[in-house]
Amino acid sequence: MIDSRDMKQPDWAEVERALVIMAHPDDPDFSCAGSAIQMARQGIEVTYMILTNGDKGNHNPLVTRRQLILMRKEEQRKAADLCGVKDVLFMDEEDGFLRPTPEIRKRVCREIRRIRPQLIICSNPDRYISGRGYINHPDHRNAGLIALEAIFPAADNLMFYPDLANEGYLPHKISQLYISGAEETDVEVDITDDIELKIKAILCHESQFSDLQAMEKGMRERSGEKQEDGSMRHFERFQQLIFRPRARQK
Ligand SMILES: [Zn+2]
């Protein structure tokens, strides 16, 4: 069990905009909807960036790929609305084949330079096996890798993509990175008061669950931790990287 006393609390005092970069529709809701809810409530503008079109997330032969893509976008928009998220960007890479190509790195870099977030949340690029005995979806790893490679060294370096700079997308350095699904977490967001809303957001992704009730029950059990006084609390934990502002060049 994780001892909360070792955990840092989030410091969002300087955060005005946050960007969540994930592979599939529903990934933000599972991994960080509680944090997104709290940031939005504090007036932080939260944007979700979904890298793939989610076109493999279905086992119903009556639903076409095209229909599924539209359904999943709609589900993600609905979930984001519930959480107070400002915008959802769909990058429309093919589900299941996400790769850290130069093309997608540049597209993500452009959005980082456009939105200029102080904080980014992404998935863990190192996680091959999920802690609960599952193979982690390769898109989750590659989404993490794409995010990291866009943040550093590309987003903040004028020598990368001078054409973007010419279009007005100037270099931008974030100050905080939260990695979800990390082995070593060091910051935690207590989402106990928001767990009901988080579950509601997850349940917006109706196309993904054959049994909504079982899903809801499993979610509650997995995320809750029994405290010494017997109460249950819910947390989202991340590995946190803090970046200092770049010293001005003479
Ligand atoms: Zn996913």
Side-chain angles (χ1 to χ4, degrees):
M1 185 170 159
I2 294 166
D3 189 337
S4 280
R5 286 169 300 190
D6 298 334
M7 286 281 164
K8 294 187 201 86
Q9 298 306 301
D11 179 3
W12 299 334
E14 308 284 319
V15 177
E16 295 172 16
R17 292 172 299 281
L19 175 63
V20 176
I21 302 175
M22 295 275 159
H24 308 118
D26 83 8
D27 290 346
D29 297 297
F30 277 106
S31 57
C32 63
S35 304
I37 290 163
Q38 292 189 13
M39 284 193 270
R41 195 183 293 131
Q42 291 181 23
I44 296 169
E45 288 183 359
V46 182
T47 301
Y48 287 171
M49 177 192 285
I50 310 295
L51 293 171
T52 76
N53 60 16
D55 74 346
K56 306 295 190 299
N58 185 37
H59 299 282
N60 181 350
L62 299 177
V63 176
T64 67
R65 280 185 38 160
R66 181 90 202 114
Q67 286 170 327
L68 183 63
I69 292 168
L70 294 176
M71 274 164 70
R72 298 201 69 186
K73 285 184 177 175
E74 203 43 53
E75 289 169 351
Q76 183 60 83
R77 282 195 200 96
K78 204 169 138 196
D81 277 353
L82 275 184
C83 299
V85 168
K86 180 177 170 253
D87 202 6
V88 186
L89 308 173
F90 296 99
M91 305 301 272
D92 286 320
E93 296 288 310
E94 186 178 358
D95 189 352
F97 293 90
L98 188 61
R99 284 287 176 265
T101 61
E103 291 75 23
I104 187 67
R105 192 207 300 199
K106 184 175 183 179
R107 294 176 63 212
V108 173
C109 186
R110 177 193 280 119
E111 295 304 321
I112 292 172
R113 290 184 181 187
R114 181 178 68 81
I115 297 166
R116 313 188 79 71
Q118 288 79 21
L119 186 151
I120 287 181
I121 302 178
C122 70
S123 46
N124 180 3
D126 287 331
R127 193 177 198 187
Y128 286 82
I129 304 294
S130 150
R132 291 185 294 277
Y134 297 100
I135 296 172
N136 189 23
H137 196 300
D139 288 352
H140 296 164
R141 279 190 285 111
N142 284 319
L145 196 52
I146 289 164
L148 259 56
E149 290 183 349
I151 293 165
F152 181 84
D156 181 40
N157 187 330
L158 192 59
M159 305 308 273
F160 278 81
Y161 315 129
D163 55 324
L164 289 186
N166 289 339
E167 290 171 39
Y169 302 112
L170 297 172
H172 174 71
K173 185 170 184 174
I174 66 167
S175 49
Q176 300 183 40
L177 176 63
Y178 282 13
I179 298 176
S180 167
E183 292 294 325
E184 302 280 331
T185 56
D186 50 14
V187 64
E188 74 178 7
V189 182
D190 185 334
I191 61 157
T192 307
D193 293 341
D194 299 303
I195 187 65
E196 294 307 321
L197 191 51
K198 172 172 176 161
I199 290 172
K200 258 191 188 173
I202 291 170
L203 295 178
C204 286
H205 300 277
E206 283 180 48
S207 68
Q208 300 305 292
F209 313 119
S210 52
D211 185 342
L212 281 181
Q213 278 183 337
M215 174 63 228
E216 188 171 347
K217 188 165 172 282
M219 186 68 219
R220 239 176 265 272
E221 285 170 1
R222 273 207 305 277
S223 105
E225 290 172 20
K226 205 167 204 169
Q227 306 300 293
E228 280 173 9
D229 65 1
S231 65
M232 291 291 271
R233 298 204 75 77
H234 298 261
F235 299 94
E236 286 172 352
R237 295 195 175 90
F238 307 93
Q239 181 181 357
Q240 176 183 238
L241 280 76
I242 303 285
F243 305 105
R244 307 274 158 241
R246 187 158 43 93
R248 251 178 213 290
Q249 281 175 340
K250 296 212 168 86

